[in-house]
Amino acid sequence: MTMLQAHTSVSSQDAWWKSAVVYQVYPRSFADANGDGMGDVQGIISKLDYLAQLGIDVLWLSPIFTSPQDDNGYDISDYQDIDPMFGTMADVDELIAQAHQRGIKIVMDLVVNHTSDEHPWFIESRSSKDNPKRDWYWWRPVREGKTAGEPGAEPTNWRSFFSGSVWELDETTGEYYLHLFSKKQPDLNWENPEVRAAVYEMMNWWLDRGIDGFRMDVINLISKVLPLRDADIGGPDGFAPGFQFVMNGPRIHEFLKEMYEEVFAGRDRVITVGEMPGATTDEARRYTNPGESELDMVFQFDHMSLDRGLDRFHILDLDLRALKATLAHWQTELHGIGWNSLYWNNHDQPRAVSRFGNDREYRVESAKLLGTILHMLQGTPYVYQGEELGMTNYPFVSLDEFEDIESVNYAKAAAQQPGYDEAALILALAAGGRDNARTPVQWDGTPQAGFTSGTPWLPVNPNAGTINAEAAVANSDSVFHYYRKLIDLRHTMPIIVYGDFELLLEEDERVFAYTRSYGNEQLLVLGNFSDDVTAVDIPDAGVWSAAELVIGNYPPVTDAGLHLQPWETRVYRRSV
Ligand code: TEU
């Protein structure tokens, strides 16, 4: 039996999503078909041929459900309808059918840690203490000895992800409700079996309609440690992160197993990915082990927090050694047990080429390098819209340019702090803010970048004249065509999907180097994360430099040692 057969005979190894690449669409910023300045479902349909050309297997759509848009759709008021700004259910059915015709699967965003405060469930819940849906959310009385509304009267001292308390006083009943995110995103009480049943019913309804899976928003926050209690250390605002009481809580595995039983068991060819801030490799081995029947893979955040100080708006220089150690740890710990998802970008992160690359002198080179380092790892890669074009951060210069609720609330809270420095705040929001990912996709070099015929809801990046899809598709040397090749390699080379991983040069501050091994085949993946020519100091450099070059971002050279140009990346293959 060959090595390949040995691997594929393990039934979990057969999962189709192991060799798949997912593309994330943030619908409001993707493509606008009706000229109102907001992307829509017809806009997505109009770009399906572009996505098919790129070669992706799955399209994940950030939320398009009915929503007051307090957090751009992550606050849902009707899970079973589409917000008119995106189109109609008929449009969604057409999208599913058109995508399927091109062999592309559709994944929807499942946002069930919380609903909108305008969801009928919450409207009922808040109406009286004895409403049958009262217990569907987290209601708590004023802290003992305190008066409702005064600072410190909140039931716990936790800080919201979006600044301030996680508790909002509701005048109707004089009690507080919990919201880990905005006050328009009340947390559902997953302890209540009726809540869980309602969610599973809704999920089944979507799957029956033809979608192929879910990306589950902050799904490891749904089980809270009871009773709810204060966290230890308070910050200058009087609040403390309540993370240890909400992340990977005591019933999380039970809830996910129940969801699997009620929704996914017996369904073929679906894909599930849980977004999990604070997930450790130990937890992820359980979440993603097929034998546990929970999820296919999780989005972990370890590699997204290495360049962050106090919070996401304190961006530090990246220590490449830490990045390598973190990614290597996830590769090794999940290998043969669970499954990784791989990403540099999404709608919550600044653009990777600006954050980890050099988006000035070496934008194209560093975009290709980042793509290579990620796509040669074991796991399922996620490409975020515009990443395949090497889109960059937006040059924000003033506070009123920020739209995102996280940035806006953060700015309000910062203005209350002693020593407030507006210029420093703008720099922080510009470097760390989520709006960077949300400017319109740059389709062509016209003033609105071909995104809309109207006024875009968030300005187009001024670099759209040069960085755009039309130019990229026409240029065989573009980031687009490079990503197309990376995606194709995953489809055609089992070593990328199944091979063992080994990190080399752990202590090197500039070179990211690793091998993948499978049967008698080996790959060497190299990336120079610097503006300087750098030697790759490995013992068998001479042998590797004579091996087959699978992909690279500079013209091939005959190089007896291995010397990488600024932001150069190479992948070699050899038999061993
Ligand atoms: O994000 C959750 C999350 O943990 C973060 O990445 C989030 O962006 C936050 O900024 C932490 O500082 C998910 C969604 O991806 C995000 O868009 C939503 O705002 C959030 O959940 C609430 O639904």
Side-chain angles (χ1 to χ4, degrees):
M1 187 185 270
T2 68
M3 199 63 184
L4 180 64
Q5 284 162 334
H7 275 265
T8 48
S9 67
V10 182
S11 67
S12 67
Q13 299 276 11
D14 290 333
W16 63 270
W17 38 259
K18 292 197 168 176
S19 56
V21 177
V22 183
Y23 186 94
Q24 182 190 354
V25 161
Y26 193 65
R28 64 161 53 214
S29 306
F30 189 66
D32 174 21
N34 68 0
D36 66 355
M38 290 275 181
D40 44 42
V41 174
Q42 284 299 334
I44 302 172
I45 294 172
S46 74
K47 301 297 181 188
L48 284 173
D49 286 333
Y50 167 86
L51 296 173
Q53 187 186 0
L54 183 59
I56 54 103
D57 305 278
V58 181
L59 201 56
W60 149 31
L61 303 183
S62 276
I64 52 174
F65 314 100
T66 313
S67 162
Q69 302 291 327
D70 185 55
D71 184 19
N72 291 0
Y74 282 91
D75 49 316
I76 297 169
S77 54
D78 186 348
Y79 288 106
Q80 287 169 236
D81 205 353
I82 297 308
D83 198 284
M85 69 183 251
F86 294 120
T88 63
M89 281 301 287
D91 294 328
V92 174
D93 291 338
E94 186 187 337
L95 171 64
I96 296 170
Q98 294 258 1
H100 285 174
Q101 270 173 30
R102 292 166 177 82
I104 296 174
K105 296 186 189 307
I106 298 282
V107 160
M108 295 285 236
D109 221 304
L110 180 79
V111 189
V112 290
N113 173 69
H114 42 268
T115 67
S116 163
D117 65 336
E118 296 179 39
H119 194 292
W121 298 343
F122 188 74
I123 293 172
E124 272 199 56
S125 183
R126 84 187 325 173
S127 66
S128 74
K129 285 187 183 173
D130 54 11
N131 183 277
K133 290 211 168 49
R134 184 65 169 181
D135 185 49
W136 281 40
Y137 295 84
W138 296 96
W139 292 98
R140 289 293 183 272
V142 178
R143 190 186 288 260
E144 230 174 81
K146 296 281 184 180
T147 310
E150 73 172 315
E154 300 89 4
T156 70
N157 64 353
W158 306 346
R159 184 186 302 112
S160 157
F161 281 98
F162 294 161
S163 305
S165 173
V166 295
W167 295 98
E168 180 72 8
L169 180 64
D170 193 45
E171 301 293 344
T172 320
T173 55
E175 289 192 326
Y176 287 86
Y177 65 86
L178 177 74
H179 59 89
L180 295 180
F181 293 89
S182 104
K183 64 182 180 195
K184 288 185 66 64
Q185 292 168 299
D187 279 49
L188 280 166
N189 175 12
W190 275 69
E191 299 290 322
N192 186 322
E194 291 175 17
V195 168
R196 306 202 299 272
V199 169
Y200 305 149
E201 193 187 318
M202 173 271 285
M203 293 171 74
N204 278 311
W205 184 87
W206 272 108
L207 289 166
D208 292 343
R209 204 165 182 112
I211 69 160
D212 305 288
F214 292 102
R215 174 270 186 185
M216 304 181 186
D217 193 62
V218 289
I219 200 68
N220 67 329
L221 307 189
I222 59 177
S223 164
K224 277 72 170 164
V225 176
L226 298 177
L228 304 182
R229 70 197 78 174
D230 280 340
D232 279 347
I233 313 152
D237 57 358
F239 301 117
F243 297 158
Q244 80 257 43
F245 304 120
V246 298
M247 288 171 170
N248 314 306
R251 297 185 71 188
I252 183 64
H253 295 285
E254 175 196 337
F255 292 160
L256 290 174
K257 284 179 167 54
E258 181 184 76
M259 177 191 284
Y260 184 91
E261 271 311 306
E262 298 295 324
V263 180
F264 299 111
R267 286 190 194 267
D268 207 16
R269 301 190 69 75
V270 283
I271 174 171
T272 59
V273 50
E275 188 210 21
M276 297 200 169
T280 60
T281 49
D282 280 348
E283 288 291 348
R285 282 155 70 99
R286 288 183 71 186
Y287 290 130
T288 69
N289 180 339
E292 297 278 341
S293 298
E294 296 187 12
L295 297 172
D296 295 332
M297 61 195 100
V298 302
F299 288 131
Q300 56 89 10
F301 283 72
D302 284 353
H303 66 306
M304 287 288 123
S305 52
L306 299 171
D307 62 344
R308 284 180 173 152
L310 224 55
D311 59 40
R312 68 174 299 141
F313 296 112
H314 290 80
I315 301 273
L316 317 166
D317 283 342
L318 177 73
D319 178 350
L320 186 69
R321 291 167 305 180
L323 179 67
K324 293 192 291 189
T326 300
L327 290 175
H329 177 67
W330 279 86
Q331 287 291 297
T332 318
E333 287 298 304
L334 266 56
H335 182 75
I337 291 165
W339 195 251
N340 270 293
S341 66
L342 309 168
Y343 72 97
W344 290 128
N345 290 282
N346 60 43
H347 64 292
D348 294 333
Q349 302 295 339
R351 291 281 177 181
V353 68
S354 302
R355 180 179 178 187
F356 304 126
N358 174 344
D359 68 358
R360 298 164 309 277
E361 299 88 353
Y362 298 105
R363 183 187 65 83
V364 170
E365 290 83 353
S366 54
K368 292 175 180 175
L369 173 146
L370 287 166
T372 309
I373 294 296
L374 196 82
H375 281 250
M376 292 299 119
L377 292 172
Q378 184 171 52
T380 301
Y382 288 71
V383 179
Y384 178 67
Q385 62 183 37
E387 177 181 339
E388 79 282 12
L389 305 173
M391 275 179 62
T392 66
N393 279 353
Y394 184 87
F396 293 101
V397 289
S398 80
L399 269 189
D400 54 18
E401 290 175 306
F402 297 100
E403 283 285 334
D404 175 28
I405 183 167
E406 183 178 49
S407 297
V408 170
N409 286 3
Y410 188 90
K412 278 188 207 145
Q416 305 303 312
Q417 297 301 313
Y420 169 62
D421 174 350
E422 184 177 302
L425 176 69
I426 293 169
L427 285 177
L429 297 178
R434 307 193 296 183
D435 284 321
N436 284 304
R438 302 177 179 186
T439 61
V441 171
Q442 296 160 207
W443 294 106
D444 62 33
T446 61
Q448 304 306 3
F451 163 71
T452 181
S453 56
T455 307
W457 73 276
L458 201 60
V460 169
N461 195 309
N463 62 24
T466 47
I467 305 173
N468 64 68
E470 191 180 57
V473 170
N475 173 5
S476 62
D477 207 23
S478 65
V479 180
F480 175 86
H481 287 290
Y482 193 91
Y483 263 70
R484 208 166 57 75
K485 183 154 184 203
L486 288 174
I487 293 166
D488 184 58
L489 289 175
R490 177 164 301 266
H491 291 156
T492 51
M493 290 177 60
I495 187 171
I496 298 173
V497 181
Y498 297 114
D500 293 346
F501 169 92
E502 191 188 350
L503 183 67
L504 309 177
L505 303 176
E506 278 151 67
E507 292 306 319
D508 195 302
E509 289 170 32
R510 300 197 286 207
V511 176
F512 203 138
Y514 61 86
T515 57
R516 303 289 310 277
S517 306
Y518 187 66
N520 63 354
E521 214 185 0
Q522 208 173 36
L523 295 181
L524 174 68
V525 182
L526 300 175
N528 174 11
F529 280 66
S530 85
D531 291 354
D532 305 308
V533 176
T534 304
V536 180
D537 199 5
I538 53 174
D540 42 0
V543 180
W544 276 115
S545 62
E548 175 201 354
L549 185 66
V550 177
I551 190 169
N553 64 348
Y554 275 78
V557 286
T558 324
D559 174 10
L562 286 174
H563 293 88
L564 299 179
Q565 297 301 306
W567 300 96
E568 180 169 8
T569 183
R570 290 183 205 166
V571 179
Y572 287 107
R573 167 164 53 186
R574 69 172 179 180
S575 297
V576 284

